[in-house]
Amino acid sequence: MSDAIREFLSRGSFAVVGATNKRDRYGYAIFKNLLARGYRVYAVHPTLDSIEGEKVYPSLSELPEKVEAVDVVVNPSVTEKVVEECHKLGIRYVWMQPGAESKAAIDFCENNGIVCIHDTCVMHHSL
């Protein structure tokens, strides 16, 4: 396991941007997987109120606390906006799920001191 993955998974609080209530989508599976593993995790989706009783927040800026790490499960153009929001909020760990990454988002992270993991799924790794 890489040091970046170990660092990401050892954070105390997470947000899943792109969490969804659609059970056949990765945004649902990843959110539920992190919860089941005992992480403190927040769901972020601009149009949902809750996922199976868990409150959903419209953006990272509206979370009740600053999270330490963000898992992104959205299209690449949205990921590019999310990493900018992470930078503004001082969030230093971002995991871009396969299909969410773009060269621009990865470059932004690397140029702004954000640890960026991509090309692998968070559900395939544990501490």
Side-chain angles (χ1 to χ4, degrees):
M1 177 185 310
S2 77
D3 288 344
I5 291 172
R6 189 172 288 106
E7 286 178 39
F8 184 96
L9 293 173
S10 68
R11 301 297 98 199
S13 57
F14 296 85
V16 176
V17 176
T20 181
N21 57 5
K22 296 177 182 171
R23 292 175 180 234
D24 62 335
R25 305 297 299 256
Y26 282 109
Y28 176 86
I30 291 165
F31 176 65
K32 295 298 282 187
N33 179 275
L34 290 172
L35 281 174
R37 288 160 58 180
Y39 290 111
R40 189 168 72 249
V41 58
Y42 297 97
V44 176
H45 191 286
T47 63
L48 293 177
D49 292 325
S50 67
I51 298 172
E52 297 179 1
E54 298 286 338
K55 183 168 175 48
V56 177
Y57 298 86
S59 70
L60 293 171
S61 301
E62 296 176 68
L63 294 175
E65 69 174 296
K66 177 184 146 189
V67 296
E68 295 181 80
V70 173
D71 189 284
V72 185
V73 195
V74 293
N75 71 54
S77 63
V78 175
T79 299
E80 292 166 10
K81 294 177 177 80
V82 170
V83 295
E84 290 174 8
E85 186 177 15
C86 288
H87 178 63
K88 287 177 191 167
L89 295 172
I91 299 168
R92 294 194 49 243
Y93 295 88
V94 172
W95 193 308
M96 297 175 198
Q97 290 300 133
E101 71 274 33
S102 74
K103 182 173 180 349
I106 293 166
D107 289 349
F108 182 89
C109 289
E110 290 174 355
N111 292 332
N112 288 282
I114 296 172
V115 176
C116 174
I117 302 163
H118 53 89
D119 297 323
T120 188
C121 180
V122 71
M123 292 191 303
H124 297 154
H125 301 276
S126 63
L127 284 179

